[in-house]
Amino acid sequence: MNKTWWKESVIYQIYPRSFYDSNGDGIGDIKGITAKLDYLKELGIDVIWLSPIFKSPNADNGYDVSDYQDIMDEFGTMEDFDEMLEEAHHRGIKIMLDLVVNHSSDEHKWFIESRQSKDNPYRDYYIWHPGKENGEPPSNWGAMWGDSAWKYDEVSGEYYLHLFHEKQPDLNWENPTLREEVYKMMRYWLDKGIDGFRMDVINFISKVPGFPDGPMREGEKFGDGSPYFLNGPRIHEFLQEMNRETFSKYDTITVGEMPGVNIDQAKLYTGEERNELNMVFQFEHVDLGNGKYGKWTPGPWKLTDLKQILDRWQEGLATGGWNSLYWSNHDQPRAVSRWTPGAEEKYREKAAKMLATLLHNLQGSPYIYQGEEIGMTNVYFDSIDDYRDVETLNAYRDLYKEGKLTYDKMMKGIHERGRDNSRTPIQWDDREHGGFTTGTPWIQVNPNYKKINVKSALEDNTSIFYYYKKLIQLRKKHEVIVYGTYESVMKDSEEIYAYMRTLGENKLLVMANFMDGTPVFTLPSTLGFTSKEVLISNYEVSDEEDISSVVLKPYEARVYLLR
Ligand code: NOJ
C-alpha cells in the first residue's frame, strides 16, 4: 500500500454558519474560523473540510451556489478567505473546500441565462426536457425532499430536473462545455492554494439518458429515480476526466460524498490505479435503523449490524481504495446521541471517548465533525418553529401535515435524526448563546451549553477534547493505526466492539464496551505477544492487568499495543 499524507491525516469539518460569529450578526463567518485556528491547532487536526462558503441564496445553507468564485455575503469577503487560508497554512493546517456541482442555485447566472429560451447558449448547462404528451413531468422521479424532481418553467415551456430543492437545478454533465467550466473553477481554487475537495453527492452527476420512470413504492406520490442517477453510466469517465484536468496537476485530498455506494463501486472510485478520488463517504452505517419513512421513522438497530457493516468496509477496501471514517456530519445527528443514546445523561463523556476510540483506530481517514470533540449532543426543540433545515421542514409538511405520521412520531424522528441536531452553534463557553455570537443566533444554541462547552473542556485535562487530541497524536506516532491490517474480534457480541490491527511486529488491540453493562472481553487464544502497553483508555487501567479476560465497565474503551 502506498503511503501518503492524506491517509495519515485527521480531518475536521467546519459548518461555517454555526462555527463562530465574529461580527455579531448571528451567523458564523470566515473571520470567526480564522479566530479559532489556534484552537484547532491545539486539537492537532491536519485538514479542515469547510462546508460551502460560496455565494448563495441559502435555500439549503450554501449547498445552492449562485457564484462558485465568490464568498457568501454573510460569511465575509475573498480577502477574509485568503487570510484564513494563509493563517491555516501557516499553522500546518490544510483546507478542503466543498464542491457542489451536481446542482447549482437557480440564482446562478448560468441558470438565469439557461431559462431564458430554448436556444440560449447556457440552455444545455442544465437538464431541460419537454413534458409527456399529457403535459406531465418527463418522468415520475421524486426529489430528495418530497416534491417531483421536475419543475415546469413557464417561460420556456419545459421542465428542468432538480434532485434536491427546486432552487437547486441539476447541472448537465453530458455537456462538455459545462464540464470544462467546472474544471476551470476548480483550478481557480487550487491555484489559490486550497488543498482539495469534498464533493457533494458526486455519484449523482451522470444520469441515464431518457430518464426512465423509476419503481413506485406503495403509498408514495413519486417514483424512485435512483437506479437511473446513482453511479450512472458515465460517472467514472467524468471523474477520470476531472482528475486529469484538475487534481493530477496538484497534491490534493479528495473525498466523494456517495449515498447508495457499495464496496465494489467504492473500489472503482478510490482504487489508486484508477485516478478518480482518494476516498468516499459511504452511508450504510448511518442508515442503520431507518424505518418505513427512512430516517424519520427510526427504529432499533443491533451492534452486530453496525460491526458487520464497518467490518465489510474495512475488509473490502483493504487491498485497494481507502475508507473515510465518520460518526457524524452536518447532515447527521450528533455522534453520542446517535450511537449511544442511552449514555447521554450519565455516561456522555465515557461514551464520546469510546466512540472516538473505535473510529480513530480503524483503517481510513477519520473525520471529526465540529463539536464532536467536546461531546455535543442532539437538540430537542419543542416547537417546529425553532427548526431551520429545509429537509426537516419538508418532512414535517409531507409526513405530519399529510397525516402519515402523528405529531409525536414526527417530532421523535426530528429529535433523533434531523439535520439541525448538528447545526446548532458551537458552544464556546457558558455565556449567553454559548459565546457563539453577541447577536441573535440564526438557530438557537443547545440549552446544555452551560455544561458542555469548549472553555470547560480546555480547562479539564481529562476532557473529551484532550482525549481526541491524544488519539490524533497516537495516529502520528504509530504507523499500525494508519497502515495495519484489520481483523474483527468477538464478532457476535451485542455489547463489545473489538478488533486487531497488525503491521509487522506491532499489534493493536482495540476493545470497547458499547453499552452500559459490564460484559467480559475474552482475548482470542491465537493471539501471542510478549509485551503490552496501554496506549489510551477512558478509565484508569494499568499495563500490568491480565487481559486474557477483562470485565469492561460501562462504555469503557482501551487500546493496547502488543508486541
Ligand atoms: C449533501 C449535503 O451534505 C447536504 O447538506 C445537501 O443538502 C445535499 N447534498 C444537497 O446539496
Side-chain angles (χ1 to χ4, degrees):
M1 181 183 296
N2 292 335
K3 296 187 176 171
T4 61
W5 62 266
W6 47 263
K7 291 182 181 165
E8 295 162 16
S9 292
V10 175
I11 301 115
Y12 184 94
Q13 183 191 352
I14 291 185
Y15 194 69
R17 178 165 290 268
S18 306
F19 191 66
Y20 183 58
D21 174 18
S22 73
N23 64 357
D25 67 355
I27 297 174
D29 45 45
I30 293 177
K31 275 189 182 303
I33 298 171
T34 309
K36 298 293 183 184
L37 286 172
D38 284 334
Y39 167 71
L40 298 177
K41 177 77 188 155
E42 169 71 15
L43 181 59
I45 53 104
D46 306 284
V47 181
I48 293 171
W49 151 26
L50 262 190
S51 277
I53 40 110
F54 316 103
K55 195 147 276 198
S56 164
N58 284 306
D60 184 18
N61 285 357
Y63 284 91
D64 50 321
V65 179
S66 56
D67 187 339
Y68 291 98
Q69 288 175 213
D70 202 351
I71 304 291
M72 192 191 298
D73 293 334
E74 297 89 324
F75 288 179
T77 62
M78 194 59 91
E79 287 69 48
D80 297 343
F81 179 87
D82 292 341
E83 181 193 37
M84 179 197 66
L85 184 63
E86 196 184 322
E87 291 294 324
H89 283 168
H90 180 64
R91 289 167 178 75
I93 296 175
K94 295 184 157 64
I95 300 280
M96 195 171 157
L97 293 187
D98 211 317
L99 184 76
V100 191
V101 289
N102 172 68
H103 44 267
S104 74
S105 163
D106 65 340
E107 297 182 32
H108 193 291
K109 65 172 191 281
W110 297 339
F111 191 74
I112 295 172
E113 284 291 330
S114 168
R115 79 190 321 174
Q116 298 301 324
S117 68
K118 288 189 185 128
D119 52 13
N120 186 284
Y122 289 91
R123 185 70 169 179
D124 234 17
Y125 275 41
Y126 293 86
I127 302 177
W128 291 95
H129 212 284
K132 288 190 173 149
E133 263 167 30
N134 61 6
E136 283 186 3
S139 76
N140 68 357
W141 299 6
M144 293 307 142
W145 301 328
D147 307 304
S148 164
W150 297 95
K151 168 95 178 162
Y152 186 69
D153 187 57
E154 296 285 345
V155 181
S156 59
E158 283 188 330
Y159 286 87
Y160 67 86
L161 181 72
H162 61 90
L163 292 179
F164 290 87
H165 194 269
E166 63 180 59
K167 285 185 67 62
Q168 294 167 297
D170 280 49
L171 289 161
N172 178 17
W173 278 74
E174 298 292 324
N175 176 357
T177 317
L178 173 272
R179 299 205 300 276
E180 187 40 47
E181 291 260 22
V182 170
Y183 306 147
K184 209 167 80 192
M185 173 271 284
M186 292 170 73
R187 288 190 298 261
Y188 165 83
W189 288 104
L190 289 163
D191 287 338
K192 239 184 200 303
I194 66 130
D195 304 282
F197 293 102
R198 174 267 187 187
M199 300 180 191
D200 196 66
V201 290
I202 200 70
N203 62 334
F204 288 19
I205 61 177
S206 163
K207 280 93 177 168
V208 170
F211 313 100
D213 280 343
M216 292 286 292
R217 276 206 325 199
E218 215 192 296
E220 295 286 329
K221 273 202 246 164
F222 301 104
D224 171 13
S226 65
Y228 306 109
F229 64 75
L230 281 189
N231 311 303
R234 298 183 68 189
I235 182 72
H236 296 290
E237 175 196 335
F238 293 159
L239 289 178
Q240 283 168 11
E241 179 183 79
M242 178 191 281
N243 184 305
R244 242 186 350 263
E245 297 294 322
T246 64
F247 323 132
S248 65
K249 304 180 166 73
Y250 306 80
D251 184 19
T252 54
I253 174 169
T254 55
V255 53
E257 187 210 21
M258 299 204 176
V261 71
N262 65 31
I263 293 175
D264 288 335
Q265 290 154 349
K267 281 189 184 165
L268 297 177
Y269 288 121
T270 68
E272 287 179 15
E273 67 301 337
R274 293 192 41 94
N275 298 321
E276 295 186 20
L277 303 175
N278 295 151
M279 51 191 138
V280 302
F281 288 126
Q282 56 84 17
F283 280 68
E284 286 187 44
H285 66 307
V286 294
D287 287 342
L288 261 180
N290 285 4
K292 181 167 179 204
Y293 297 111
K295 70 178 187 180
W296 302 113
T297 43
W301 51 274
K302 294 200 303 214
L303 180 62
T304 44
D305 291 336
L306 174 66
K307 293 196 287 187
Q308 199 255 345
I309 292 171
L310 296 181
D311 283 356
R312 270 195 295 108
W313 280 88
Q314 288 291 297
E315 288 153 12
L317 299 192
T319 50
W322 191 249
N323 272 296
S324 39
L325 309 167
Y326 72 104
W327 288 131
S328 176
N329 61 39
H330 67 293
D331 294 331
Q332 300 293 332
R334 290 280 174 187
V336 194
S337 311
R338 169 68 165 106
W339 301 107
T340 50
E344 233 183 67
E345 283 303 311
K346 193 164 159 212
Y347 290 111
R348 182 185 61 89
E349 181 209 314
K350 295 288 181 211
K353 291 175 179 173
M354 180 276 290
L355 290 169
T357 312
L358 285 176
L359 197 83
H360 284 248
N361 287 289
L362 288 173
Q363 191 178 70
S365 302
Y367 287 72
I368 302 171
Y369 178 67
Q370 64 179 34
E372 186 183 314
E373 77 281 12
I374 56 165
M376 280 177 63
T377 63
N378 279 359
V379 73
Y380 305 101
F381 292 137
D382 291 330
S383 162
I384 192 68
D385 298 339
D386 290 329
Y387 287 91
R388 299 284 173 268
D389 168 33
V390 56
E391 183 190 62
T392 305
L393 299 177
N394 279 11
Y396 186 84
R397 181 196 66 191
D398 296 339
L399 298 176
Y400 166 59
K401 290 274 174 165
E402 290 198 8
K404 290 182 174 154
L405 291 180
T406 63
Y407 180 77
D408 288 351
K409 286 228 164 85
M410 184 76 246
M411 291 312 281
K412 178 176 182 288
I414 294 175
H415 287 164
E416 285 185 32
R417 298 287 203 84
R419 305 198 296 184
D420 280 339
N421 283 308
S422 57
R423 298 178 180 190
T424 65
I426 292 285
Q427 299 159 201
W428 290 102
D429 55 42
D430 59 5
R431 288 177 302 166
E432 199 186 10
H433 308 310
F436 161 71
T437 180
T438 53
T440 307
W442 69 276
I443 185 171
Q444 281 179 50
V445 172
N446 192 316
N448 63 18
Y449 69 89
K450 292 219 152 107
K451 183 169 143 221
I452 305 173
N453 61 61
V454 169
K455 181 164 176 274
S456 62
L458 291 175
E459 283 164 3
D460 170 7
N461 62 12
T462 68
S463 68
I464 302 168
F465 177 90
Y466 289 112
Y467 194 90
Y468 267 84
K469 178 173 176 176
K470 185 160 179 198
L471 282 170
I472 296 170
Q473 285 169 346
L474 287 171
R475 166 171 279 267
K476 306 271 172 272
K477 199 163 151 206
H478 299 280
E479 276 211 319
V480 58
I481 300 179
V482 182
Y483 297 109
T485 57
Y486 175 87
E487 197 185 328
S488 178
V489 174
M490 293 185 73
K491 263 185 198 302
D492 299 327
S493 170
E494 291 294 358
E495 289 161 288
I496 293 179
Y497 195 144
Y499 56 85
M500 298 279 318
R501 306 284 311 279
T502 309
L503 188 69
E505 307 254 282
N506 293 315
K507 294 190 178 77
L508 205 70
L509 171 63
V510 180
M511 55 172 95
N513 178 4
F514 222 88
M515 307 289 162
D516 64 0
T518 51
V520 178
F521 171 84
T522 316
L523 195 69
S525 53
T526 47
L527 186 66
F529 56 92
T530 49
S531 77
K532 70 175 189 311
E533 179 193 343
V534 183
L535 292 186
I536 190 165
S537 62
N538 61 353
Y539 285 85
E540 290 268 314
V541 189
S542 108
D543 283 340
E544 315 312 320
E545 189 182 324
D546 174 16
I547 57 166
S548 52
S549 159
V550 181
V551 180
L552 291 170
K553 300 196 177 70
Y555 303 100
E556 177 164 5
R558 307 176 180 189
V559 181
Y560 284 95
L561 182 64
L562 309 174
R563 284 185 242 241

